[in-house]
Amino acid sequence: MENQQGLTVPRSFLTAMAVCFIALPVLVILVPGIHHESSISDVLGRLYKLHPVGQGAAHNDSNAHNLSDDGLFAPGFDEKSCLSRFQHRLYRKSERKPSAYLLSKLRSYEHLHRRCGLYTDPYNRTLTVIRSGEDVDDTTTGSITACKYLIWHPVNGLGNRMISLASTFLYALLTDRVLLADLTQDMADLFCEPFLGSPWILPLEFPLRNLARNGKLRFAHSAGKALKNSTLKVTPPDSPAKAPPFLFINLYQGKYADEPSSFYCDESQSFLRRVPCLSLLSDQYFVPSLFLIKSFKKEAIRLFPEKEAVYHHLVHYLMLPSNQAWELITRFYEANLAKADERIGLQVRVFEEQFIPILTDKILTCLQNQTHLPKIDNKKPKLSSSSSSPRNQTPTTTTTAVLITSLYPQFYQNLSTMYSNKQTVSGEVIKFYQPSHEGKQRFEDGEHNMKALVEIYLLSMCEKLVISADSTFGYAAQGLGANRAWILLRPGYGFLDSCVRDLSVEPCFQWPPPSRNCIGDRNNSGSSRHDDVTENVAYLKHCEDWKSGVKLVDVHEEL
Ligand SMILES: *[C@@H]1O[C@H](CO)[C@@H](O)[C@H](O)[C@H]1NC(C)=O
Ligand SMILES: *[C@@H]1O[C@H](CO)[C@@H](O)[C@H](O)[C@H]1NC(C)=O
Ligand SMILES: *[C@@H]1O[C@H](CO)[C@@H](O)[C@H](O)[C@H]1NC(C)=O
Ligand SMILES: *[C@@H]1O[C@H](CO)[C@@H](O)[C@H](O)[C@H]1NC(C)=O
Ligand SMILES: *[C@@H]1O[C@H](CO)[C@@H](O)[C@H](O)[C@H]1NC(C)=O
Ligand SMILES: *[C@@H]1O[C@H](CO)[C@@H](O)[C@H](O)[C@H]1NC(C)=O
Ligand SMILES: *[C@@H]1O[C@H](CO)[C@@H](O)[C@H](O)[C@H]1NC(C)=O
């Protein structure tokens, strides 16, 4: 079982996986593609009874052990508690290297997270301050030894959550805050604990946990309101600067009306720095705008000299699949995708159902024209189903696996019917797989999120990737694999091409703030002109699929 695509999968690992698949006929139900009774969720329960986590996988393989060693993770993690931390590199061809500065920043962050972690003395003192509701100054929580916190709240689908959590963590790194994530019931089982020795999950009894869910409270403690006040107020130079004990920052879909875009201004950041606890809500990848804040810029660039790897490193560090998720990911991969010579991931997000019939044609054009999926050769005789089995193929036949992820079954049904038992012009064998089709997106549903995570990971393991325009699910997968995707353009918007190559693997920030809205940017005329955010910023470009959005790109020196 050799992999010709250069994936460095140790033979012992594959053998171990092969053995466990032969021993587990139930998995064959997953192959190929859709069976209405046996999507991942249905198999989930049965899988674990048959095959407890930790056996069969190569978690103690000495090679696998070594693969985690690019310094991203602190030494000392227990392998069994999070197998994906040690194994995820087995499934990827190329990896980008984190900068030495990022590694040292992560180590000092981990130290901070332990020192200020749940139920430590500084944490307890901060809770007291929050509960008192009284303004603080630099002396309240014990000056420089005090800890400051940043609470992340989930909103919208898993793609939105992953890109916003990564952004929030970068904000925590840039402001020396401790990140606590409100991983409500529907996300509790998805990820491993990222920080060695101190949990990151916001406790249920944390006083601000309901802030994000309560509009009245949100408004009462809005950072936007406080920021407006703070810029009006003139503090006497020798009096200690006061700040509220906590504030709520609403960056949800760029709703700048109740949260001014001045969040991204230096004057706001110097005020927010004094607030012990910030609670943040966003469904966006707001990293690009963090790079534009003058007081953050130098540090951000030093952490990420390679701009296109920001999300990639953050997501790998922070959001490793739990053992339960990893088991599903690796099993599906080994059963369906591992044997193919090439894997094409296809994520189809349907925004308007009336376009489903048009979409099929567009998908086919994109797959054939851009990812070089071979066309069907109508002149060659049909294959009988037995002759298409791998056993009867000559060893030179190459196989391409197309992994489809969609809430709808139509695309899988159509494409697999089209290709089944037909010969292709190149002689390649094409197989289609779809792990699940949920019909519609569901929120507050842990199992739905688990499937979403499994599919995001599987997509990221494909050598070629086609994602849907405007979908954060696709963004999350592309950045994870650090593999530049083709974007299926949305029908009904006048695009001529079916798809376009993305500019970079970074997620798109769909709602960047208007530029030059900070005090420092304004001319003597006092007007805040809304110029193009990307103007004069070489590493920022407008997204191909969402023209008012922006994304980080690497600048390659032109001669
Ligand atoms: C895995 O390897 C470590 C040493 O690298 C060893 O201490 C541990 O007992 C092994 N675990 C199993 C289950 O073999
Ligand atoms: C990884 O492998 C290399 C060479 O095989 C070895 O020199 C190095 O010490 C190993 N690292 C760890 C963490 O085991
Ligand atoms: C912090 O508070 C918790 C209970 O609220 C308590 O169990 C813990 O011991 C306190 N930590 C310290 C360092 O006092
Ligand atoms: C803003 O300033 C007004 C007037 O000084 C005050 O009544 C209000 O409480 C302030 N709001 C906040 C959030 O600080
Ligand atoms: C697949 O889609 C094509 C193009 O829209 C259509 O002509 C064909 O009938 C569809 N086939 C199936 C099996 O749905
Ligand atoms: C096929 O790809 C070429 C570029 O490789 C592009 O110019 C052309 O528009 C594409 N055709 C369609 C139908 O998308
Ligand atoms: C002020 O605005 C003018 C045009 O309105 C522009 O040319 C100039 O660069 C601006 N100055 C600054 C400091 O932004």
Side-chain angles (χ1 to χ4, degrees), residues 219 222 224-225 228 250 252 254-261:
F219 184 71
S222 145
K225 218 156 45 115
K228 263 181 221 150
N250 190 356
Y252 176 65
K255 292 270 160 49
Y256 298 121
D258 88 310
E259 192 58 52
S261 50

Side-chain angles (χ1 to χ4, degrees), residues 43 50 52 86 167 223 348 381 398 467:
V43 181
L50 283 165
F86 298 87
S167 309
V348 191
T398 59
I467 60 176

Side-chain angles (χ1 to χ4, degrees), residues 123-163:
Y123 172 89
N124 283 357
R125 274 194 280 158
T126 304
L127 284 196
T128 309
V129 168
I130 290 172
R131 289 204 177 98
S132 82
E134 278 163 28
D135 277 3
V136 297
D137 59 42
D138 284 349
T139 58
T140 311
T141 50
S143 72
I144 44 170
T145 57
C147 300
K148 296 203 166 67
Y149 298 85
L150 179 63
I151 315 295
W152 174 85
H153 299 281
V155 63
N156 279 346
L158 189 67
N160 290 95
R161 294 176 188 201
M162 288 174 73
I163 61 178

